Amino acid sequence: MKRILSTILISLLCLCGAMAQPSAVKNVAKSVFELKAYDAEGKLTASTNGVFLSADGTAACPWSAVCEAARVEVVDFSGKTYPATHILGASELYDVCRLHVDMPKAVAAVTATDAAPKGSKLWLVETADKRTQTTQYEVDKAETFMDKYAYYVFDYNNHKPVQGSVFVNEKGQVVGLMQQSARSLYANAVDVRFVSTLAASHLDINNSLYSKTALRLSLPTDKQNALLMVMLAAECKDKAKYEGYIADYIKQFPKEVDGYATSALQKLTNNDWHGADTDMQTALKVATDKAEAHSEYARVIYQKLIYSADTTFTAWTFQRALAEAEKAYSLNPQPQYLHRVAQIKFSMGDYSDACEKFLSLAKKDMPTSEVYFEAAQCKTQLGAPKAEVLALVDSCLAVAPRPLTNLSAPYVLVRAQLYEQMEEYRKAIADYNTYDTLMYGRATAAVYYARHKCEVAVHQYKQALDDLAHAAYIGGADAPLYLAELAALQLRVNMNEEAVKTSDLCLQLTPDNSDAYIIKGLALVQLKRKAEALSCFEKAKELGDDRAEGYIKKYK
């Protein structure tokens, strides 16, 4: 009987507390919403409260509710549901975040300008299923953090609150966002003024804090920073999220070509040619810079034609790309637009005209490594003397930034190959060495094989043997070829035991390799093991090697 009376008394006290609340407290309910978060399968993963901080849909809620959500929606005071689309900022330590809700207009709460002192009465406002509940609490502690914000601890209350509910003062001003500790019966709250300051920058897109939620960060208002953010988003593995950032950029900067071109290029990766074409047609209609729109249209077409084998989408041709590029240059004769024209001309096989344009750009407006190299490629296709091609590659490397980086490595490699073709072997070796350094020792087997040939030509046999051994080690399917070459060189420099072992290794990989049998046989002859050598020659003969019979007759 005493227990029943105690329960009734507590209920009456709570009711009296609720009835004693100021009228301003009730009005806050219009700003409080119910938040629901779902995973990728549509399963509800969190249900909390939150509060609107401004009329444009900026809101505060617990970060833990949305940090891994695939979809988030809020139900406002009137029962209408709206999607939460963007994260504006978050604090994992205090488990709060600011987010944007896509809705016409929100009823914003008024936030308190000062912290509530110890002993003050606050009301917790909660909402669920269109019902609002208020409960009175007393501040037990107001601990200061970051010199100006309060972290509140309240006296014990047997009420079980909803995470993300708001504490308000007698003026109806929001003081803090509720946090119920899993290890304590006491309710806590984070100062709403702190939540209002949370703001992610465009560089935070790579912050692991935001990587798991499907909600995107809000783009900055500055166009260049926004574009940089979209570019950084391309490095993320979340394709849907990246496409969302592109759409955000287009919505925020509808007259800029960058967004449409980025969207079109992304659609190329999905083989959505019609979608990409629609993007660029829209850019031509709405973009302020028409010349840029035509040039980017040409680039998108060019990318598709160069990197896709598709032949079903016939609307895009090199002639169409050229027309768009030439239109851009006629509207605004900028060097980059003429460069695009020259590149398309090259791909169309008009090497003479392309070369003329590349050289014109290199001499005046665009003396870059890329342009000199493109001119060199034109000269090669036109069958020009290697000295002319070499002069252009020299210029290409002369204007490259110093110190050279791996970005210049392809140019160094081409010059090495030119020197090799011109029998300037020592110069070729020097460039192959530079290339290897720029590639941090990760050149292909073909490069080490090419360098070994130059080293042999100048009698640098030790280096040549090392390069062949390395080529065989990283050569994959071509390893037997390099092993046979290595064995042949070992035989040449009288390393006969090594030649036999290398030949055996080659034969383990390719048992029908007649070259390996011939080389092994010759090495065995030098080692005075003629019987074994003749056996190798006989095996080569069985494999159809015409050389074998001559060696059998010679050494029998």
Side-chain angles (χ1 to χ4, degrees):
M1 189 67 180
K2 289 181 180 179
R3 188 179 299 122
I4 294 172
L5 289 172
S6 298
T7 302
I8 294 173
L9 180 60
I10 290 171
S11 299
L12 287 172
L13 288 171
C14 290
L15 179 63
C16 291
M19 292 176 63
Q21 67 182 327
S23 59
V25 173
K26 298 179 182 179
N27 292 330
V28 179
K30 297 177 182 178
S31 302
V32 177
F33 57 77
E34 185 178 4
L35 181 144
K36 297 180 181 293
Y38 304 87
D39 63 16
E41 284 71 42
K43 179 183 176 182
L44 183 69
T45 57
S47 179
T48 71
N49 278 181
V51 62
F52 290 113
L53 300 176
S54 63
D56 64 359
T58 299
C61 72
W63 172 239
S64 57
V66 302
C67 65
E68 296 186 8
R71 177 168 61 90
V72 178
E73 60 186 24
V74 304
V75 182
D76 71 359
F77 179 75
S78 64
K80 294 181 179 180
T81 301
Y82 301 99
T85 56
H86 293 84
I87 298 293
L88 304 178
S91 169
E92 188 174 35
L93 177 62
Y94 290 99
D95 190 23
V96 286
C97 73
R98 271 198 325 138
L99 50 75
H100 175 74
V101 180
D102 191 6
M103 61 191 304
K105 188 177 181 180
V107 178
V110 177
T111 58
T113 56
D114 299 308
K118 177 181 178 179
S120 59
K121 300 291 190 294
L122 298 178
W123 283 265
L124 181 68
V125 180
E126 304 165 275
T127 183
D129 301 323
K130 297 183 181 181
R131 294 193 301 270
T132 301
Q133 180 178 355
T134 57
T135 308
Q136 189 180 83
Y137 281 75
E138 182 174 321
V139 177
D140 181 50
K141 297 178 184 177
E143 300 171 350
T144 302
F145 67 96
M146 296 177 66
D147 297 326
K148 54 184 176 181
Y149 303 118
Y151 186 82
Y152 298 100
V153 180
F154 296 92
D155 279 343
Y156 171 74
N157 191 313
N158 67 345
H159 174 66
K160 292 187 67 175
V162 177
Q163 290 283 82
S165 305
V166 293
F167 284 98
V168 299
N169 59 25
E170 70 280 359
K171 297 179 181 178
Q173 299 171 333
V174 176
V175 174
L177 213 62
M178 206 290 303
Q179 292 181 331
Q180 180 66 52
S181 173
R183 295 168 294 182
S184 171
L185 296 175
Y186 295 89
N188 307 313
V190 178
D191 199 324
V192 74
R193 295 176 300 164
F194 168 70
V195 184
S196 297
T197 66
L198 296 174
S201 80
H202 60 286
L203 298 178
D204 282 324
I205 195 166
N206 288 328
N207 190 327
S208 60
L209 176 67
Y210 303 108
S211 62
K212 293 182 180 180
T213 178
L215 273 62
R216 302 183 296 279
L217 294 180
S218 183
L219 292 181
T221 56
D222 178 76
K223 184 183 72 174
Q224 294 303 320
N225 285 340
L227 184 59
L228 175 59
M229 190 171 178
V230 173
M231 292 170 63
L232 292 173
E235 300 174 9
C236 302
K237 296 180 180 179
D238 193 328
K239 178 181 172 184
K241 213 169 184 180
Y242 174 51
E243 291 175 350
Y245 279 117
I246 296 173
D248 289 343
Y249 185 88
I250 292 174
K251 183 178 180 181
Q252 193 162 320
F253 305 99
K255 294 186 178 182
E256 297 295 330
V257 180
D258 300 318
Y260 301 101
T262 304
S263 177
L265 290 170
Q266 173 62 12
K267 286 174 181 174
L268 292 190
T269 65
N270 302 325
N271 296 335
D272 183 8
W273 322 122
H274 290 282
D277 192 59
T278 298
D279 280 338
M280 296 316 300
Q281 291 284 359
T282 303
L284 287 177
K285 292 176 183 176
V286 304
T288 303
D289 191 339
K290 300 299 183 186
E292 183 71 6
H294 282 288
S295 182
E296 286 298 286
Y297 201 174
R299 179 166 77 101
V300 171
I301 296 172
Y302 181 71
Q303 291 284 314
K304 187 268 180 187
L305 296 173
I306 292 295
Y307 297 110
S308 170
D310 170 78
T311 57
T312 60
F313 189 65
T314 57
W316 285 358
T317 62
F318 281 114
Q319 288 78 10
R320 176 69 182 280
L322 180 61
E324 292 295 335
E326 290 178 334
K327 180 65 175 178
Y329 190 65
S330 68
L331 291 173
N332 187 4
Q334 293 296 314
Q336 64 267 29
Y337 299 154
L338 182 61
H339 187 213
R340 185 93 66 216
V341 172
Q343 289 176 320
I344 297 170
K345 286 269 190 178
F346 178 87
S347 297
M348 294 174 71
D350 191 352
Y351 304 120
S352 181
D353 193 18
C355 187
E356 182 182 333
K357 287 179 169 56
F358 285 133
L359 289 174
S360 172
L361 289 166
K363 291 175 182 177
K364 186 179 178 182
D365 299 311
M366 292 181 71
T368 65
S369 293
E370 180 186 10
V371 175
Y372 275 114
F373 187 68
E374 288 167 327
Q377 289 178 307
C378 289
K379 288 286 188 180
T380 300
Q381 293 296 331
L382 291 168
K386 287 183 172 54
E388 289 186 27
V389 179
L390 180 62
L392 288 169
V393 178
D394 281 339
S395 297
C396 162
L397 286 167
V399 299
R402 290 299 190 272
L404 293 177
T405 68
N406 60 341
L407 296 177
S408 297
Y411 311 140
V412 176
L413 178 60
V414 168
R415 191 169 69 176
Q417 293 165 340
L418 279 170
Y419 279 136
E420 182 181 354
Q421 293 164 16
M422 298 169 71
E423 300 183 359
E424 296 274 2
Y425 297 119
R426 294 191 183 279
K427 290 182 179 179
I429 291 169
D431 272 350
Y432 280 128
N433 291 343
T434 300
Y435 177 79
D436 193 26
T437 300
L438 294 177
M439 296 300 292
Y440 304 104
R442 294 195 296 268
T444 64
V447 171
Y448 294 110
Y449 180 72
R451 184 168 68 177
H452 116 273
K453 290 192 295 182
C454 296
E455 290 162 340
V456 168
V458 295
H459 309 296
Q460 294 180 0
Y461 297 117
K462 173 64 169 63
Q463 295 89 328
L465 289 166
D466 289 344
D467 276 342
L468 273 178
H470 190 60
Y473 180 71
I474 66 173
D478 292 327
L481 168 66
Y482 300 129
L483 285 170
E485 291 278 358
L486 176 58
L489 183 57
Q490 288 168 333
L491 177 64
R492 179 176 172 178
V493 297
N494 205 32
M495 296 173 63
N496 298 305
E497 291 282 3
E498 290 80 358
V500 171
K501 292 177 182 178
T502 303
S503 297
D504 284 337
L505 182 56
C506 180
L507 288 167
Q508 287 178 23
L509 298 174
T510 52
D512 58 350
N513 192 319
S514 64
D515 285 336
Y517 280 112
I518 293 291
I519 297 167
K520 180 179 178 182
L522 292 172
L524 289 168
V525 168
Q526 298 300 317
L527 294 168
K528 311 300 183 184
R529 294 157 60 182
K530 285 190 177 182
E532 294 176 65
L534 288 171
S535 176
C536 289
F537 296 142
E538 288 289 351
K539 185 63 178 177
K541 182 178 177 180
E542 291 174 13
L543 292 170
D545 195 309
D546 296 334
R547 298 169 296 173
E549 184 65 32
Y551 288 126
I552 292 171
K553 291 178 180 179
K554 181 176 180 180
Y555 297 110
K556 192 170 183 179

